[in-house]
Structures are given as C-alpha cells and as structure tokens.
C-alpha cells in the first residue's frame, strides 16, 4: 500500500489536485476532505491529476464521483487527467468515462478549458 498524497495548486482555470498513491477505502475520505476545502466558483474547472495514482478501488471511484457532485453544486466543471490504464478500464466498464471528461495530462486539461472559454 502506498500512502495517499494530495497536492493542491491553482491554474488559470481553477484548482488542480495532484493525487499520488492509493485511493482506497482508508484514504478516500482524504480526497473528499481536500475537495471540501477548495473554494470553487461557477465556471471554474477542477482538475484531478491522477498521474501518480497507483491503485483505485470502488471507494476511490466513489470519492471521484463525490468530487464531481461538489463541483457541480458550485457551478464548476471537473476533469480527470493522466488516468492510469487500470483505473481508465474500470471507469470505462462502469460507464464513467462518459461522465468524466478525461485528458492525457493536467496541462492539456487546463489548456482545453482555456480554449473552450475563449
């Protein structure tokens, strides 16, 4: 098991959370708390950068959905970036690849949002 690390940074489009380690039953509440601490405004994009994600179970998927719901409550959008192949496969199997916008990396996610906003 790898400990979960969440680093928050700001981009021109909104907050980016860099998630590293294992997102599972014991650590999913950490992601929920990190998202709850964010100040999201209408029109912003919350990017969850999963480049360092090593494992994600159903509790982790549920935490991603909770982040999506919170963003929607604030009128913000959400995107996943650098989704590892094993997690992308699970998202696809359960149809969440049609719920989340998925980008190759965080830079692409924030660039795509900026060009859409122009």
């Amino acid at each position: 098991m790898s400990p979960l690390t969440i680093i928050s940074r700001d981009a021109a489009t909104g907050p980016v959370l860099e998630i590293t380690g294992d997102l599972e039953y014991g650590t999913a509440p950490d992601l929920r708390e990190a998202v709850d601490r964010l100040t999201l405004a209408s029109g912003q994009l919350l990017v969850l950068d999963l480049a360092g994600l090593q494992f994600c179970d159903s509790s982790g998927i549920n935490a991603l959905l909770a982040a999506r719901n919170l963003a929607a409550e604030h009128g913000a959008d959400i995107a996943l970036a650098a989704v590892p192949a094993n997690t992308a496969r699970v998202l696809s199997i359960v149809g969440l690849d049609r719920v989340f916008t998925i980008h190759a990396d965080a830079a692409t996610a924030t660039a795509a949002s900026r060009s859409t906003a122009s």
Side-chain angles (χ1 to χ4, degrees), residues 14-15 23 26 31 43 45 48 59 64 80 83 87 93 96 98 116:
L23 183 56
L31 176 58
L45 176 67
L48 301 181
S59 297
L64 296 176
L80 304 181
V83 180
T87 302
I93 289 169
L96 292 176
R98 293 183 296 258
T116 302

Side-chain angles (χ1 to χ4, degrees), residues 6-107:
I6 301 170
I7 298 171
S8 178
R9 64 179 174 83
D10 290 322
T13 54
V16 176
L17 294 181
E18 298 173 5
I19 302 166
T20 304
D22 293 345
L23 183 56
E24 42 79 29
Y25 179 79
T27 60
D30 297 341
L31 176 58
R32 289 175 186 250
E33 290 172 15
V35 172
D36 284 342
R37 285 191 302 268
L38 295 174
T39 302
L40 289 170
S42 180
Q44 283 190 313
L45 176 67
L46 168 60
V47 176
L48 301 181
D49 183 352
L50 305 180
L53 188 69
Q54 296 177 3
F55 175 77
C56 183
D57 70 4
S58 60
S59 297
I61 299 293
N62 197 24
L64 296 176
L65 285 168
R68 179 183 177 273
N69 292 341
L70 184 69
E73 286 175 19
H74 292 278
D77 202 358
I78 188 168
L80 304 181
V83 180
N86 56 345
T87 302
R89 182 172 182 267
V90 171
L91 292 174
S92 177
I93 289 169
V94 298
L96 292 176
D97 59 336
R98 293 183 296 258
V99 172
F100 286 103
T101 301
I102 299 174
H103 294 278
D105 54 44

